Amino acid sequence: MAAHSAQTLLQIKQEGKKFCCLTAYDSTFAGLVDEAGIETLLVGDSLGMVLQGHKDTLPVTVDDMAYHIRCVARAVKNTLVIGDLPFQSYATTEQALKSSAQLMRAGSGMVKLEGGEWLSESVHSLTERGMPVCGHLGLTPQSVNAFGGFKVQGRDQSSADKLIADAIILEQAGASLLVVECIPRELGDKVSRALSIPVIGIGAGPDTDAQVLVLHDMLGLGSHSPRFVRDFMQGADSIQAAIAAYAEAVRNGSFPAQEHCFS
């Protein structure tokens, strides 16, 4: 099996197929994700909540992210590792370049950052210097205080139009992937159709090019499961079987189902 890259993911989209993404923060889980043939692995700043016990992702540092990326990268052979740039680590283009270089040296194959048009210069500078970028729109957890909580985004026409415009700007700036989180199903479909690059959804309906879930959530380990999560350990006799069931459900289009979507 060949190692995955932005180019192989683009080819999957162009063929009209779907691919999968899961989070992982350590070598054990990363190895299981890789062995299952999951195409992309996100070392997310969600580790602040899942591993560190914080109420949100804001306390996570670049050093925290680099440590966990190193752990994950040692176990991965074929899966593309995407590393989250944490809160206020890319406020300026210069800062984005420095933070991204640290994550790439740790073993990330791509960096992810949250935000729209204001990031276009940074995205262009990163890709120009050989650091592939994944954008993130919709519910961007680092902006939770500005949103007033974890709320569905893009429900009115003006915010939906703004999200699509931001997505196009990020693609034009050089982004290779885009994550959209907690948006209406219809908007997830529109964004995916508007872009030539692959769109990964979480709580964005089944019509995006890929899906991502926090591994601990899809294994039923979270104390609170968001609406868009399905517990794949139900009916599975091992973690490996649960990951395989998730991958199959994403690829055949049965997950997410209507009950996992926002309207």
Side-chain angles (χ1 to χ4, degrees):
M1 186 191 301
H4 283 288
S5 65
Q7 288 70 34
T8 65
L9 302 180
L10 179 60
Q11 184 177 350
I12 292 171
K13 171 166 180 156
Q14 290 171 342
E15 292 172 354
K17 299 176 182 176
K18 298 193 182 283
F19 64 90
C20 308
C21 182
L22 283 171
T23 66
Y25 317 107
D26 61 48
S27 63
T28 301
F29 276 129
L32 294 178
V33 169
D34 186 72
E35 288 167 13
I38 302 295
E39 290 88 351
T40 53
L41 186 159
L42 174 64
V43 185
D45 60 359
S46 50
L47 67 85
M49 302 166 78
V50 177
L51 299 186
Q52 297 176 339
H54 296 298
K55 65 176 182 176
D56 52 41
T57 64
L58 273 57
V60 178
T61 67
V62 177
D63 285 344
D64 290 338
M65 293 306 308
Y67 169 80
H68 286 281
I69 288 167
R70 282 193 295 271
C71 294
V72 163
R74 292 185 189 111
V76 167
K77 296 176 182 176
N78 299 308
T79 301
L80 173 64
V81 177
I82 305 169
D84 254 341
L85 287 167
F87 180 65
Q88 290 299 306
S89 68
Y90 52 96
T92 66
T93 297
E94 182 181 2
Q95 199 178 13
L97 291 168
K98 181 179 179 181
S99 301
S100 298
Q102 186 173 343
L103 299 194
M104 297 291 287
R105 288 191 193 101
S108 187
M110 183 179 289
V111 295
K112 182 171 80 63
L113 30 67
E114 299 180 3
E117 182 179 5
W118 70 272
L119 281 170
S120 59
E121 181 184 332
S122 293
V123 172
H124 177 72
S125 295
L126 286 166
T127 55
E128 201 173 43
R129 289 160 177 80
M131 292 182 272
V133 173
C134 175
H136 187 155
L137 295 171
L139 173 59
T140 46
Q142 292 173 20
S143 301
V144 63
N145 291 323
F147 291 149
F150 294 94
K151 299 178 179 178
V152 180
Q153 303 297 306
R155 275 188 155 152
D156 62 88
Q157 192 63 50
S158 62
S159 61
D161 290 345
K162 177 70 164 61
L163 189 144
I164 293 173
D166 279 340
I168 292 170
I169 288 168
L170 290 175
E171 177 178 29
Q172 290 173 342
S176 300
L177 289 176
L178 177 69
V179 169
V180 287
E181 180 170 357
C182 284
I183 60 173
R185 171 181 180 165
E186 299 79 9
L187 182 54
D189 181 35
K190 286 180 180 177
V191 175
S192 301
R193 292 177 185 273
L195 301 187
S196 60
I197 61 171
V199 176
I200 303 173
I202 176 167
D207 303 308
T208 53
D209 305 300
Q211 299 291 328
V212 61
L213 285 178
V214 171
L215 182 66
H216 294 65
D217 287 345
M218 58 82 66
L219 294 176
L221 298 176
S223 56
H224 165 71
S225 281
R227 174 175 177 163
F228 52 77
V229 171
R230 175 178 154 193
D231 180 358
F232 284 89
M233 275 304 294
Q234 291 187 0
D237 58 8
S238 68
I239 290 174
Q240 291 96 321
I243 295 173
Y246 165 73
E248 174 62 22
V250 169
R251 290 173 187 145
N252 69 26
S254 62
F255 175 81
Q258 187 57 41
E259 65 263 28
H260 306 115
C261 300
F262 302 106
S263 60

